[in-house]
PDB file of all heavy atoms in Angstrom:
ATOM      1  N   VAL A 267     -60.795 -39.989  93.174  1.00  0.00           N
ATOM      2  CA  VAL A 267     -59.767 -40.865  92.634  1.00  0.00           C
ATOM      3  C   VAL A 267     -58.420 -40.253  93.087  1.00  0.00           C
ATOM      4  O   VAL A 267     -58.215 -39.169  93.150  1.00  0.00           O
ATOM      5  CB  VAL A 267     -59.703 -40.897  91.014  1.00  0.00           C
ATOM      6  CG1 VAL A 267     -58.521 -41.670  90.476  1.00  0.00           C
ATOM      7  CG2 VAL A 267     -61.014 -41.415  90.514  1.00  0.00           C
ATOM      8  N   ALA A 268     -57.443 -41.172  93.553  1.00  0.00           N
ATOM      9  CA  ALA A 268     -56.179 -40.739  94.058  1.00  0.00           C
ATOM     10  C   ALA A 268     -55.502 -39.934  92.963  1.00  0.00           C
ATOM     11  O   ALA A 268     -55.246 -40.430  91.830  1.00  0.00           O
ATOM     12  CB  ALA A 268     -55.379 -41.888  94.575  1.00  0.00           C
ATOM     13  N   GLY A 269     -55.146 -38.636  93.271  1.00  0.00           N
ATOM     14  CA  GLY A 269     -54.515 -37.771  92.250  1.00  0.00           C
ATOM     15  C   GLY A 269     -52.919 -37.622  92.470  1.00  0.00           C
ATOM     16  O   GLY A 269     -52.362 -36.891  91.649  1.00  0.00           O
ATOM     17  N   SER A 270     -52.450 -38.250  93.478  1.00  0.00           N
ATOM     18  CA  SER A 270     -50.946 -38.146  93.747  1.00  0.00           C
ATOM     19  C   SER A 270     -50.401 -39.413  94.315  1.00  0.00           C
ATOM     20  O   SER A 270     -51.230 -40.222  94.815  1.00  0.00           O
ATOM     21  CB  SER A 270     -50.679 -36.889  94.651  1.00  0.00           C
ATOM     22  OG  SER A 270     -51.311 -37.090  95.854  1.00  0.00           O
ATOM     23  N   GLY A 271     -49.130 -39.498  94.110  1.00  0.00           N
ATOM     24  CA  GLY A 271     -48.512 -40.739  94.652  1.00  0.00           C
ATOM     25  C   GLY A 271     -47.081 -40.956  94.291  1.00  0.00           C
ATOM     26  O   GLY A 271     -46.590 -40.183  93.426  1.00  0.00           O
ATOM     27  N   THR A 272     -46.409 -41.902  94.828  1.00  0.00           N
ATOM     28  CA  THR A 272     -45.037 -42.250  94.667  1.00  0.00           C
ATOM     29  C   THR A 272     -44.954 -43.781  94.266  1.00  0.00           C
ATOM     30  O   THR A 272     -45.659 -44.640  94.844  1.00  0.00           O
ATOM     31  CB  THR A 272     -44.168 -41.931  95.715  1.00  0.00           C
ATOM     32  OG1 THR A 272     -44.629 -42.590  96.901  1.00  0.00           O
ATOM     33  CG2 THR A 272     -44.111 -40.483  96.017  1.00  0.00           C
ATOM     34  N   PHE A 273     -44.083 -44.014  93.367  1.00  0.00           N
ATOM     35  CA  PHE A 273     -43.897 -45.419  92.702  1.00  0.00           C
ATOM     36  C   PHE A 273     -42.527 -45.842  92.923  1.00  0.00           C
ATOM     37  O   PHE A 273     -41.590 -45.090  92.868  1.00  0.00           O
ATOM     38  CB  PHE A 273     -44.176 -45.459  91.244  1.00  0.00           C
ATOM     39  CG  PHE A 273     -43.870 -46.690  90.499  1.00  0.00           C
ATOM     40  CD1 PHE A 273     -44.746 -47.809  90.608  1.00  0.00           C
ATOM     41  CD2 PHE A 273     -42.669 -46.902  89.903  1.00  0.00           C
ATOM     42  CE1 PHE A 273     -44.519 -48.929  89.944  1.00  0.00           C
ATOM     43  CE2 PHE A 273     -42.357 -48.022  89.262  1.00  0.00           C
ATOM     44  CZ  PHE A 273     -43.270 -49.178  89.258  1.00  0.00           C
ATOM     45  N   SER A 274     -42.395 -47.183  93.391  1.00  0.00           N
ATOM     46  CA  SER A 274     -41.122 -47.769  93.455  1.00  0.00           C
ATOM     47  C   SER A 274     -41.266 -49.137  92.719  1.00  0.00           C
ATOM     48  O   SER A 274     -42.193 -49.817  93.101  1.00  0.00           O
ATOM     49  CB  SER A 274     -40.474 -47.818  94.823  1.00  0.00           C
ATOM     50  OG  SER A 274     -41.407 -48.570  95.664  1.00  0.00           O
ATOM     51  N   SER A 275     -40.324 -49.535  91.920  1.00  0.00           N
ATOM     52  CA  SER A 275     -40.365 -50.852  91.194  1.00  0.00           C
ATOM     53  C   SER A 275     -39.839 -51.988  91.925  1.00  0.00           C
ATOM     54  O   SER A 275     -40.138 -53.257  91.570  1.00  0.00           O
ATOM     55  CB  SER A 275     -39.650 -50.721  89.864  1.00  0.00           C
ATOM     56  OG  SER A 275     -38.261 -50.641  90.072  1.00  0.00           O
ATOM     57  N   LEU A 276     -39.091 -51.816  93.049  1.00  0.00           N
ATOM     58  CA  LEU A 276     -38.620 -52.997  93.873  1.00  0.00           C
ATOM     59  C   LEU A 276     -39.109 -52.881  95.288  1.00  0.00           C
ATOM     60  O   LEU A 276     -39.305 -51.655  95.822  1.00  0.00           O
ATOM     61  CB  LEU A 276     -37.062 -52.975  93.732  1.00  0.00           C
ATOM     62  CG  LEU A 276     -36.485 -53.227  92.419  1.00  0.00           C
ATOM     63  CD1 LEU A 276     -34.862 -53.148  92.512  1.00  0.00           C
ATOM     64  CD2 LEU A 276     -36.883 -54.543  91.802  1.00  0.00           C
ATOM     65  N   LYS A 277     -39.157 -54.033  95.965  1.00  0.00           N
ATOM     66  CA  LYS A 277     -39.013 -55.373  95.579  1.00  0.00           C
ATOM     67  C   LYS A 277     -40.077 -55.906  94.703  1.00  0.00           C
ATOM     68  O   LYS A 277     -39.868 -56.790  93.879  1.00  0.00           O
ATOM     69  CB  LYS A 277     -38.788 -56.273  96.797  1.00  0.00           C
ATOM     70  CG  LYS A 277     -37.545 -55.893  97.579  1.00  0.00           C
ATOM     71  CD  LYS A 277     -37.385 -56.846  98.674  1.00  0.00           C
ATOM     72  CE  LYS A 277     -36.053 -56.521  99.433  1.00  0.00           C
ATOM     73  NZ  LYS A 277     -35.768 -57.334 100.513  1.00  0.00           N
ATOM     74  N   SER A 278     -41.238 -55.351  94.802  1.00  0.00           N
ATOM     75  CA  SER A 278     -42.264 -55.530  93.786  1.00  0.00           C
ATOM     76  C   SER A 278     -42.918 -54.203  93.500  1.00  0.00           C
ATOM     77  O   SER A 278     -42.931 -53.275  94.269  1.00  0.00           O
ATOM     78  CB  SER A 278     -43.390 -56.419  94.391  1.00  0.00           C
ATOM     79  OG  SER A 278     -44.071 -55.875  95.522  1.00  0.00           O
ATOM     80  N   PRO A 279     -43.370 -54.010  92.190  1.00  0.00           N
ATOM     81  CA  PRO A 279     -43.900 -52.655  91.806  1.00  0.00           C
ATOM     82  C   PRO A 279     -44.964 -52.300  92.650  1.00  0.00           C
ATOM     83  O   PRO A 279     -45.994 -53.021  92.959  1.00  0.00           O
ATOM     84  CB  PRO A 279     -44.390 -52.947  90.309  1.00  0.00           C
ATOM     85  CG  PRO A 279     -43.624 -54.110  89.950  1.00  0.00           C
ATOM     86  CD  PRO A 279     -43.410 -54.964  91.175  1.00  0.00           C
ATOM     87  N   GLN A 280     -45.066 -51.045  93.198  1.00  0.00           N
ATOM     88  CA  GLN A 280     -46.119 -50.604  94.039  1.00  0.00           C
ATOM     89  C   GLN A 280     -46.097 -49.166  94.152  1.00  0.00           C
ATOM     90  O   GLN A 280     -45.190 -48.382  93.920  1.00  0.00           O
ATOM     91  CB  GLN A 280     -45.884 -51.142  95.518  1.00  0.00           C
ATOM     92  CG  GLN A 280     -44.623 -50.662  96.137  1.00  0.00           C
ATOM     93  CD  GLN A 280     -44.463 -51.264  97.581  1.00  0.00           C
ATOM     94  OE1 GLN A 280     -45.309 -51.055  98.403  1.00  0.00           O
ATOM     95  NE2 GLN A 280     -43.293 -51.972  97.684  1.00  0.00           N
ATOM     96  N   TRP A 281     -47.382 -48.622  94.222  1.00  0.00           N
ATOM     97  CA  TRP A 281     -47.610 -47.142  94.373  1.00  0.00           C
ATOM     98  C   TRP A 281     -48.126 -46.824  95.852  1.00  0.00           C
ATOM     99  O   TRP A 281     -48.879 -47.620  96.486  1.00  0.00           O
ATOM    100  CB  TRP A 281     -48.842 -46.714  93.499  1.00  0.00           C
ATOM    101  CG  TRP A 281     -48.364 -46.532  92.191  1.00  0.00           C
ATOM    102  CD1 TRP A 281     -48.365 -47.402  91.062  1.00  0.00           C
ATOM    103  CD2 TRP A 281     -47.942 -45.289  91.488  1.00  0.00           C
ATOM    104  NE1 TRP A 281     -47.965 -46.909  89.869  1.00  0.00           N
ATOM    105  CE2 TRP A 281     -47.630 -45.607  90.188  1.00  0.00           C
ATOM    106  CE3 TRP A 281     -47.681 -43.981  91.987  1.00  0.00           C
ATOM    107  CZ2 TRP A 281     -47.173 -44.596  89.280  1.00  0.00           C
ATOM    108  CZ3 TRP A 281     -47.225 -43.019  91.143  1.00  0.00           C
ATOM    109  CH2 TRP A 281     -46.839 -43.260  89.816  1.00  0.00           C
ATOM    110  N   GLN A 282     -47.652 -45.719  96.388  1.00  0.00           N
ATOM    111  CA  GLN A 282     -48.161 -45.222  97.620  1.00  0.00           C
ATOM    112  C   GLN A 282     -48.965 -44.037  97.238  1.00  0.00           C
ATOM    113  O   GLN A 282     -48.316 -42.983  96.820  1.00  0.00           O
ATOM    114  CB  GLN A 282     -47.004 -44.903  98.639  1.00  0.00           C
ATOM    115  CG  GLN A 282     -46.180 -46.072  99.106  1.00  0.00           C
ATOM    116  CD  GLN A 282     -47.013 -47.018  99.956  1.00  0.00           C
ATOM    117  OE1 GLN A 282     -47.954 -46.633 100.758  1.00  0.00           O
ATOM    118  NE2 GLN A 282     -46.817 -48.339  99.993  1.00  0.00           N
ATOM    119  N   THR A 283     -50.192 -43.990  97.550  1.00  0.00           N
ATOM    120  CA  THR A 283     -51.124 -42.873  97.125  1.00  0.00           C
ATOM    121  C   THR A 283     -50.917 -41.759  98.070  1.00  0.00           C
ATOM    122  O   THR A 283     -50.738 -41.955  99.249  1.00  0.00           O
ATOM    123  CB  THR A 283     -52.468 -43.320  96.939  1.00  0.00           C
ATOM    124  OG1 THR A 283     -53.019 -43.850  98.153  1.00  0.00           O
ATOM    125  CG2 THR A 283     -52.712 -44.259  95.773  1.00  0.00           C
ATOM    126  N   GLY A 284     -51.110 -40.438  97.502  1.00  0.00           N
ATOM    127  CA  GLY A 284     -50.928 -39.334  98.391  1.00  0.00           C
ATOM    128  C   GLY A 284     -52.281 -38.758  98.899  1.00  0.00           C
ATOM    129  O   GLY A 284     -53.340 -39.401  98.823  1.00  0.00           O
ATOM    130  N   ASN A 285     -52.283 -37.539  99.286  1.00  0.00           N
ATOM    131  CA  ASN A 285     -53.466 -36.910  99.919  1.00  0.00           C
ATOM    132  C   ASN A 285     -54.356 -36.256  98.899  1.00  0.00           C
ATOM    133  O   ASN A 285     -55.544 -35.873  99.204  1.00  0.00           O
ATOM    134  CB  ASN A 285     -53.085 -35.864 101.077  1.00  0.00           C
ATOM    135  CG  ASN A 285     -52.391 -36.540 102.114  1.00  0.00           C
ATOM    136  OD1 ASN A 285     -52.728 -37.663 102.520  1.00  0.00           O
ATOM    137  ND2 ASN A 285     -51.388 -35.980 102.730  1.00  0.00           N
ATOM    138  N   ARG A 286     -53.868 -35.999  97.673  1.00  0.00           N
ATOM    139  CA  ARG A 286     -54.653 -35.207  96.727  1.00  0.00           C
ATOM    140  C   ARG A 286     -55.720 -36.133  96.104  1.00  0.00           C
ATOM    141  O   ARG A 286     -55.366 -37.349  95.652  1.00  0.00           O
ATOM    142  CB  ARG A 286     -53.754 -34.626  95.598  1.00  0.00           C
ATOM    143  CG  ARG A 286     -54.496 -33.935  94.475  1.00  0.00           C
ATOM    144  CD  ARG A 286     -53.577 -33.517  93.334  1.00  0.00           C
ATOM    145  NE  ARG A 286     -52.691 -32.623  93.699  1.00  0.00           N
ATOM    146  CZ  ARG A 286     -52.995 -31.126  93.545  1.00  0.00           C
ATOM    147  NH1 ARG A 286     -54.046 -30.810  93.028  1.00  0.00           N
ATOM    148  NH2 ARG A 286     -52.090 -30.306  93.853  1.00  0.00           N
ATOM    149  N   ASN A 287     -56.971 -35.734  95.964  1.00  0.00           N
ATOM    150  CA  ASN A 287     -57.957 -36.402  95.260  1.00  0.00           C
ATOM    151  C   ASN A 287     -58.197 -35.726  93.874  1.00  0.00           C
ATOM    152  O   ASN A 287     -58.008 -34.464  93.701  1.00  0.00           O
ATOM    153  CB  ASN A 287     -59.293 -36.422  95.999  1.00  0.00           C
ATOM    154  CG  ASN A 287     -59.414 -37.496  97.072  1.00  0.00           C
ATOM    155  OD1 ASN A 287     -58.484 -38.396  97.040  1.00  0.00           O
ATOM    156  ND2 ASN A 287     -60.320 -37.330  98.006  1.00  0.00           N
ATOM    157  N   ALA A 288     -58.583 -36.574  92.990  1.00  0.00           N
ATOM    158  CA  ALA A 288     -58.834 -36.096  91.475  1.00  0.00           C
ATOM    159  C   ALA A 288     -60.253 -36.359  91.077  1.00  0.00           C
ATOM    160  O   ALA A 288     -60.865 -37.341  91.487  1.00  0.00           O
ATOM    161  CB  ALA A 288     -57.808 -36.645  90.607  1.00  0.00           C
ATOM    162  N   SER A 289     -60.765 -35.524  90.289  1.00  0.00           N
ATOM    163  CA  SER A 289     -62.048 -35.800  89.561  1.00  0.00           C
ATOM    164  C   SER A 289     -61.763 -35.984  88.051  1.00  0.00           C
ATOM    165  O   SER A 289     -61.176 -35.074  87.450  1.00  0.00           O
ATOM    166  CB  SER A 289     -62.971 -34.661  89.806  1.00  0.00           C
ATOM    167  OG  SER A 289     -64.331 -34.904  89.099  1.00  0.00           O
ATOM    168  N   LEU A 290     -62.211 -37.095  87.531  1.00  0.00           N
ATOM    169  CA  LEU A 290     -61.921 -37.344  86.053  1.00  0.00           C
ATOM    170  C   LEU A 290     -63.086 -37.032  85.226  1.00  0.00           C
ATOM    171  O   LEU A 290     -64.122 -37.578  85.504  1.00  0.00           O
ATOM    172  CB  LEU A 290     -61.500 -38.887  85.913  1.00  0.00           C
ATOM    173  CG  LEU A 290     -60.440 -39.419  86.779  1.00  0.00           C
ATOM    174  CD1 LEU A 290     -60.252 -41.001  86.457  1.00  0.00           C
ATOM    175  CD2 LEU A 290     -59.103 -38.699  86.577  1.00  0.00           C
ATOM    176  N   THR A 291     -63.005 -36.135  84.360  1.00  0.00           N
ATOM    177  CA  THR A 291     -64.108 -35.755  83.450  1.00  0.00           C
ATOM    178  C   THR A 291     -63.849 -36.354  82.108  1.00  0.00           C
ATOM    179  O   THR A 291     -62.897 -36.076  81.425  1.00  0.00           O
ATOM    180  CB  THR A 291     -64.265 -34.273  83.250  1.00  0.00           C
ATOM    181  OG1 THR A 291     -64.427 -33.693  84.556  1.00  0.00           O
ATOM    182  CG2 THR A 291     -65.351 -33.886  82.315  1.00  0.00           C
ATOM    183  N   PHE A 292     -64.684 -37.396  81.743  1.00  0.00           N
ATOM    184  CA  PHE A 292     -64.420 -38.155  80.457  1.00  0.00           C
ATOM    185  C   PHE A 292     -65.097 -37.444  79.334  1.00  0.00           C
ATOM    186  O   PHE A 292     -64.645 -37.493  78.235  1.00  0.00           O
ATOM    187  CB  PHE A 292     -65.057 -39.587  80.622  1.00  0.00           C
ATOM    188  CG  PHE A 292     -64.415 -40.376  81.698  1.00  0.00           C
ATOM    189  CD1 PHE A 292     -64.898 -40.481  82.996  1.00  0.00           C
ATOM    190  CD2 PHE A 292     -63.219 -41.127  81.353  1.00  0.00           C
ATOM    191  CE1 PHE A 292     -64.284 -41.279  83.886  1.00  0.00           C
ATOM    192  CE2 PHE A 292     -62.568 -41.974  82.258  1.00  0.00           C
ATOM    193  CZ  PHE A 292     -63.179 -42.036  83.553  1.00  0.00           C
ATOM    194  N   LEU A 293     -66.218 -36.759  79.487  1.00  0.00           N
ATOM    195  CA  LEU A 293     -66.928 -36.138  78.434  1.00  0.00           C
ATOM    196  C   LEU A 293     -67.490 -34.882  78.814  1.00  0.00           C
ATOM    197  O   LEU A 293     -68.079 -34.705  79.943  1.00  0.00           O
ATOM    198  CB  LEU A 293     -68.141 -37.132  78.039  1.00  0.00           C
ATOM    199  CG  LEU A 293     -69.056 -36.502  76.875  1.00  0.00           C
ATOM    200  CD1 LEU A 293     -68.299 -36.511  75.569  1.00  0.00           C
ATOM    201  CD2 LEU A 293     -70.359 -37.362  76.777  1.00  0.00           C
ATOM    202  N   GLU A 294     -67.312 -33.796  78.028  1.00  0.00           N
ATOM    203  CA  GLU A 294     -67.780 -32.399  78.362  1.00  0.00           C
ATOM    204  C   GLU A 294     -68.658 -31.863  77.183  1.00  0.00           C
ATOM    205  O   GLU A 294     -69.333 -30.884  77.295  1.00  0.00           O
ATOM    206  CB  GLU A 294     -66.654 -31.514  78.593  1.00  0.00           C
ATOM    207  CG  GLU A 294     -65.996 -31.811  79.992  1.00  0.00           C
ATOM    208  CD  GLU A 294     -64.842 -30.730  80.131  1.00  0.00           C
ATOM    209  OE1 GLU A 294     -63.985 -30.555  79.385  1.00  0.00           O
ATOM    210  OE2 GLU A 294     -64.796 -30.093  81.301  1.00  0.00           O
ATOM    211  N   GLU A 295     -68.676 -32.616  75.968  1.00  0.00           N
ATOM    212  CA  GLU A 295     -69.408 -32.159  74.899  1.00  0.00           C
ATOM    213  C   GLU A 295     -70.619 -33.100  74.624  1.00  0.00           C
ATOM    214  O   GLU A 295     -70.604 -34.315  74.947  1.00  0.00           O
ATOM    215  CB  GLU A 295     -68.537 -32.068  73.599  1.00  0.00           C
ATOM    216  CG  GLU A 295     -67.397 -31.105  73.735  1.00  0.00           C
ATOM    217  CD  GLU A 295     -66.526 -31.104  72.426  1.00  0.00           C
ATOM    218  OE1 GLU A 295     -66.726 -31.958  71.643  1.00  0.00           O
ATOM    219  OE2 GLU A 295     -65.604 -30.246  72.418  1.00  0.00           O
ATOM    220  N   PRO A 296     -71.805 -32.511  74.175  1.00  0.00           N
ATOM    221  CA  PRO A 296     -72.960 -33.416  74.002  1.00  0.00           C
ATOM    222  C   PRO A 296     -72.603 -34.576  73.054  1.00  0.00           C
ATOM    223  O   PRO A 296     -71.907 -34.436  71.984  1.00  0.00           O
ATOM    224  CB  PRO A 296     -73.871 -32.415  73.351  1.00  0.00           C
ATOM    225  CG  PRO A 296     -73.394 -31.066  73.817  1.00  0.00           C
ATOM    226  CD  PRO A 296     -71.993 -31.188  73.746  1.00  0.00           C
ATOM    227  N   PHE A 297     -73.196 -35.781  73.392  1.00  0.00           N
ATOM    228  CA  PHE A 297     -72.946 -36.978  72.624  1.00  0.00           C
ATOM    229  C   PHE A 297     -74.349 -37.643  72.570  1.00  0.00           C
ATOM    230  O   PHE A 297     -74.915 -38.075  73.654  1.00  0.00           O
ATOM    231  CB  PHE A 297     -71.957 -37.819  73.222  1.00  0.00           C
ATOM    232  CG  PHE A 297     -71.803 -39.173  72.440  1.00  0.00           C
ATOM    233  CD1 PHE A 297     -70.915 -39.169  71.323  1.00  0.00           C
ATOM    234  CD2 PHE A 297     -72.409 -40.358  72.781  1.00  0.00           C
ATOM    235  CE1 PHE A 297     -70.647 -40.430  70.635  1.00  0.00           C
ATOM    236  CE2 PHE A 297     -72.191 -41.508  72.144  1.00  0.00           C
ATOM    237  CZ  PHE A 297     -71.384 -41.541  70.956  1.00  0.00           C
TER     238      PHE A 297
END
Side-chain angles (χ1 to χ4, degrees):
V267 176
S270 62
T272 56
F273 171 84
S274 57
S275 64
L276 298 178
K277 295 183 177 178
S278 61
Q280 57 183 306
W281 281 92
Q282 295 292 329
T283 54
N285 296 324
R286 178 189 288 270
N287 278 344
S289 178
L290 309 180
T291 300
F292 295 94
L293 177 70
E294 290 182 310
E295 298 180 354
F297 179 85

